[in-house]
Structure formats: C-alpha cells, structure tokens
Amino acid sequence: MTSDEPFGYRMQLFSENGYNLTIRPNGEIIGTQDDADLDSHIEISSGGEVSHVRLLGLNTNLYVCYGTNGELYGEVDPSNKGTVFIEEYQGSYSAYKSALYPDWYIGIKKNGLPKKGYRTRYGQKAIKFLPRRL
C-alpha cells in the first residue's frame, strides 16, 4: 500500500455531551444530535506517525483543523499541520489532541458548539468521543 492510497475508518464521533462531531460545507465545526446528518460522517485516516490521525468530513471533503486563535474549522488542505491530531484513549472514550498545539483537544460543549482549544483539558466531558462505525 502506498501513502497515496486512502485508508481509514468511516464513523461518527459521538461526544459524551450527546452530539456528533459535524463538519458543515461552509467549514463550520459543530455538534448535531441528528444521527442521520451526513455532515457528521467522518473518516479517520493516518496523520503520518503512530497515533496521529486526520478527521475528514465525508460529505464536505473538509478536514477538522485548529487555527491559531483556538477555533476549529474545516480545512481543504490535508498538509496543513493543524489537521493532525493525536488519538488518545480515556477509558472507553477517544480524545483527539492537536499535534500542533499539544494542550488543545477537539471538544463539543453542552450546547453543541465547539470548545476553543485553549479552554480544553484532559478528562473534560467535552473532549470525550465514542467512535461509532457507519
């Protein structure tokens, strides 16, 4: 298998706060409680190193990315270093820590809005996700 071949797992990432991680066509990252929302279908693929991953919205073809301001957004370019996350296991949940900003995790707040990276911490409910295969 060459590095150009797609490899990954198609799933929804369901947060402990009750939302699926969703990438909208306009690049907005939010949580949705609609399990049938196609924008919540994510492919997890290799980020180049062990435990490094990228999260691609299958419907939007955008990658989850952290900007310098701590905001999550959908990025077209997979070579952007902000699209690489380190997958960690926290009990039966997975958490996704930015490889570029190691103190920042992907998080969805209780109201379904994304949590700013600099407000996330290890063990928070907002950063824990259950991967559910499609």
Side-chain angles (χ1 to χ4, degrees):
M1 181 160 100
T2 68
S3 61
D4 293 341
E5 291 178 15
F7 176 78
Y9 299 98
R10 293 170 181 223
M11 58 190 60
Q12 288 178 311
L13 294 176
F14 186 72
S15 77
E16 192 174 9
N17 280 333
Y19 294 91
N20 292 306
L21 182 69
T22 305
I23 307 169
R24 294 288 180 222
N26 65 1
E28 180 183 30
I29 307 286
I30 60 168
T32 181
Q33 293 180 320
D34 180 4
D35 289 339
D37 189 333
L38 295 178
D39 290 346
S40 69
H41 293 185
I42 306 282
E43 181 175 75
I44 298 179
S45 61
S46 172
E49 294 183 36
V50 174
S51 77
H52 286 208
V53 297
R54 286 190 174 87
L55 307 174
L56 174 66
L58 290 170
N59 197 45
T60 61
N61 220 25
L62 296 173
Y63 291 87
V64 175
C65 186
Y66 257 124
T68 56
N69 60 357
E71 302 268 348
L72 287 169
Y73 70 96
E75 170 64 55
V76 177
D77 182 10
S79 65
N80 181 321
K81 292 184 190 311
T83 64
V84 179
F85 294 88
I86 300 166
E87 188 173 31
E88 294 181 347
Y89 299 102
Q90 297 185 13
S92 57
Y93 292 93
S94 293
Y96 299 91
K97 179 169 67 171
S98 173
L100 188 58
Y101 306 103
D103 293 330
W104 298 1
Y105 290 86
I106 295 174
I108 300 294
K109 299 190 284 190
K110 288 184 235 180
N111 62 4
L113 294 175
K115 195 164 190 172
K116 292 197 187 285
Y118 53 81
R119 297 211 178 269
T120 61
R121 300 284 177 272
Y122 177 88
Q124 288 178 338
K125 204 173 179 180
I127 71 161
K128 295 179 180 180
F129 293 91
L130 283 175
R132 301 190 300 187
R133 293 196 188 275
L134 297 176

